[in-house]
Amino acid sequence: MILNLARKELKSMFASPMAWVILSVLIFAFATYFINAVTQYFSMMDGSIQSNGRIGVTLFVGQSLFGLASFVMLFVVPLLSMRLIAEERRTQTLTFLLSAPISLTEIVLGKFLGLMAFLMIIITVITAMLLTLNHWTELDFGYIFSNVLGLFLLVASFSALGLYFSSITAQPVIAGLLTFIALFALLGLDQFLAADSSNPLSQMLQNLSLMRHFEPLSQGIIDSKDIIFFLLFTGIFLIFTLRRLNAERLRA
């Protein structure tokens, strides 16, 4: 049932012109950025005769491409997640969904996986662009895997947070705005509190920064604590969404 709901959610996204516009614009932007990065790499490496002056193409192009993707997702996820539940509440179809013979867990996971399926299309396209370089050079597949894993976990965290904010309001625009503000704050939390690094509370809050846990993965370093953080973050907000809908079902 979860997969059926996810498939239905994905189809409803593609039924909207906004999803097609977002997908086409992003693919064009990433393709343009990828070509420019490869061209710039050749231009820079032409003057690097010594071996110690050369930079790996995977690092040079991949770092730019995945760095851009993590920034773009800050805007894309709120746009896509804001309608998941808020739109159904606004059109008064949420009551029918909550009264259907399916569990709330299936509803939440179905909507979450539907959104993730759409975002995985973008991640797959980015990865495929990098893999095309394997035809003429040796790639660092470990670095690519680490970045794909990091971007996937980051996007999953974004989606879970966006789904929660979509569940607490009937206005999709408000849900999208709240998601963007929260993600922006969480991404730069360690930078905002850098001046108070001697304060234990400040250090604890810095550890909640999404970028603090994404950066090691973007550098090719896979640490279990970063993976666990993203999994816990995603799970907590999915549970918050579940509890929010459960409270609404009980009131109804």
Side-chain angles (χ1 to χ4, degrees), residues 6-24 27 80 83 113-122:
R7 191 181 303 111
K8 176 180 177 296
E9 195 64 41
L10 185 60
K11 288 182 178 179
S12 66
M13 286 185 183
F14 280 108
S16 169
M18 184 178 70
W20 287 102
V21 171
I22 290 176
L23 191 60
S24 58
I27 291 177
L80 294 173
R83 300 168 58 94
L113 292 178
L115 175 58
M116 285 300 299
F118 181 89
L119 296 173
M120 278 303 299
I121 296 175
I122 302 173

Side-chain angles (χ1 to χ4, degrees), residues 97-116:
L97 182 62
L98 295 178
S99 61
I102 53 178
S103 68
L104 292 178
T105 302
E106 291 175 331
I107 294 175
V108 172
L109 291 180
K111 287 185 173 293
F112 173 76
L113 292 178
L115 175 58
M116 285 300 299

Side-chain angles (χ1 to χ4, degrees), residues 132-202:
T132 58
L133 298 176
N134 193 46
H135 292 292
W136 57 269
T137 188
E138 185 177 349
L139 296 178
D140 185 348
F141 291 101
Y143 179 83
I144 295 176
F145 174 78
S146 178
N147 273 268
V148 171
L149 177 62
L151 186 58
F152 173 82
L153 293 173
L154 186 70
V155 166
S157 301
F158 285 7
S159 300
L161 184 65
L163 182 62
Y164 169 70
F165 279 116
S166 182
S167 70
I168 65 176
T169 179
Q171 300 299 326
V173 175
I174 295 178
L177 183 61
L178 291 175
T179 302
F180 174 78
I181 294 174
L183 290 177
F184 182 80
L186 287 170
L187 282 173
L189 199 58
D190 57 334
Q191 299 297 324
F192 298 151
L193 301 174
D196 302 325
S197 57
S198 59
N199 189 338
L201 178 61
S202 176

Side-chain angles (χ1 to χ4, degrees), residues 81-98 104 107-108 111 162-172 174-175 178 240-249 251-252:
S81 65
M82 67 181 186
R83 300 168 58 94
L84 291 177
I85 299 177
E87 182 69 16
E88 298 215 32
R89 182 180 284 109
R90 188 180 68 84
T91 57
Q92 299 182 351
T93 58
L94 182 60
T95 303
F96 299 103
L97 182 62
L98 295 178
L104 292 178
I107 294 175
V108 172
K111 287 185 173 293
L163 182 62
Y164 169 70
F165 279 116
S166 182
S167 70
I168 65 176
T169 179
Q171 300 299 326
I174 295 178
L178 291 175
F240 283 170
T241 304
L242 182 63
R243 291 177 62 88
R244 178 67 179 84
L245 293 180
N246 185 53
E248 188 159 344
R249 172 181 275 184
R251 287 198 303 268

